[in-house]
Amino acid sequence: MSANAPIADELVLGTAMWGWTVDKVTAFQLLDAWYAAGQRKVDTATNYPIDRVPEHFRLAEQILAEWIRANGVEDLQVNIKVGSLNNMHTPDHLLTRSFMLMMLDEYQFLFGNNLQTFMVHWDNREDEREIEDTFRAFGEVVAKGLRPGLSGIRHPEIYASLNGTYGFDFDIQLKHNVVQSDVERYARHFSARCFYAYGINAGGLKLEEGYSDQSSIKARGADPEKFDSLLNGIRTVIAQAKENKNRPALNAMHQVGLIYAAYHPQMKGVLVGPSKVHQLESTLDFFRSLRQYDYRDVYEELVKLNQN
Ligand SMILES: NC(=O)c1ccc[n+]([C@@H]2O[C@H](COP(=O)([O-])OP(=O)(O)OC[C@H]3O[C@@H](n4cnc5c(N)ncnc54)[C@H](OP(=O)(O)O)[C@@H]3O)[C@@H](O)[C@H]2O)c1
């Protein structure tokens, strides 16, 4: 990779834990701080929070819509991911053209001018004709001036092949962190700089802080102890990085996650999921540092760590 390759320049505020570990008051504070910092991009999905509580189906989008209404905001850039039929973490989804268009109407009504991107959320299908039906809906998404997008696609090769005919400029969300990355699975079929990384903290892994019952990683059912050896590897990388005194030292997982995502050459943006305002502020602070200081050497060491 060239030393002058651009790094990802967009941040998107995630809402996956809103209504779950993040209550409405905190979500409003996060949006206040995000907006005040000049940030406009927000990501949500019909099935957030995926906490398997049926009454919470569509709760994250409702919190977001309520904040928009309360503040009379018209210039957010909301990304909505559609297709899921519940928040039970099942693969039940509907991506027919007619259902997609119904959802499009629904979200244009809910978010108004704040709606920017309309994404398929999770697609396990392998029938090309069925997927082409979804492409027809994307045609209408684009005709309305919105961006089309993909997230959680089991067969990106089918999407890429169909797109040879349709030529959509997709934004693509994919998991990308030091523990696990889906980049290669998509990069084989999509060569543009069109990726948005999510899960940059591996769902809430901490380098130094401890965990509580409200910790995101625990709520999601993962065991942080499984990652002890990888975390030790990361600690070694950031200890070495401290030898360079010309830039702020690293000490937290969100910094590592931002470096690992932002320096990937196909990364256009990074989804961040702060659960508290101080996390949001530290994320924005470090994103600013990434523009000011060079952390490419750290990125390269993290890539090696991931390969071992
Ligand atoms: N396309 C998809 O299928 C998909 C999948 C997943 C997510 N997403 C989107 O991407 C967004 C982010 O994903 P994610 O929640 O998995 O991201 P993540 O960054 O891996 O995990 C977020 C958690 O990391 C911790 N954290 C974040 N910033 C921090 C900071 N500055 N300091 C300390 N801890 C920090 C918090 O944990 P604690 O709360 O425990 O402190 C937070 O809840 C989601 O909200 C969603 O919008 C999309």
Side-chain angles (χ1 to χ4, degrees), residues 201-230:
N201 291 277
L205 212 51
K206 309 280 179 183
L207 264 183
E208 302 306 342
E209 305 156 60
Y211 301 97
S212 74
D213 289 345
Q214 276 300 298
S215 290
S216 178
I217 199 162
K218 292 209 165 174
R220 289 161 148 161
D223 175 11
E225 285 177 16
K226 263 186 19 198
F227 304 106
D228 280 351
S229 123
L230 179 80

Side-chain angles (χ1 to χ4, degrees), residues 14-17 43 48 81 121-122 151 173 198-204 206 209 214-217 220 254 271-276 279 282-283:
T15 63
M17 305 307 283
D43 172 71
Y48 285 171
K81 306 194 292 287
H121 197 203
W122 301 350
S151 173
Q173 287 190 6
Y198 66 77
I200 64 163
N201 291 277
K206 309 280 179 183
E209 305 156 60
Q214 276 300 298
S215 290
S216 178
I217 199 162
R220 289 161 148 161
H254 71 276
L271 290 135
V272 296
S275 64
K276 297 165 193 77
Q279 292 184 356
S282 60
T283 300

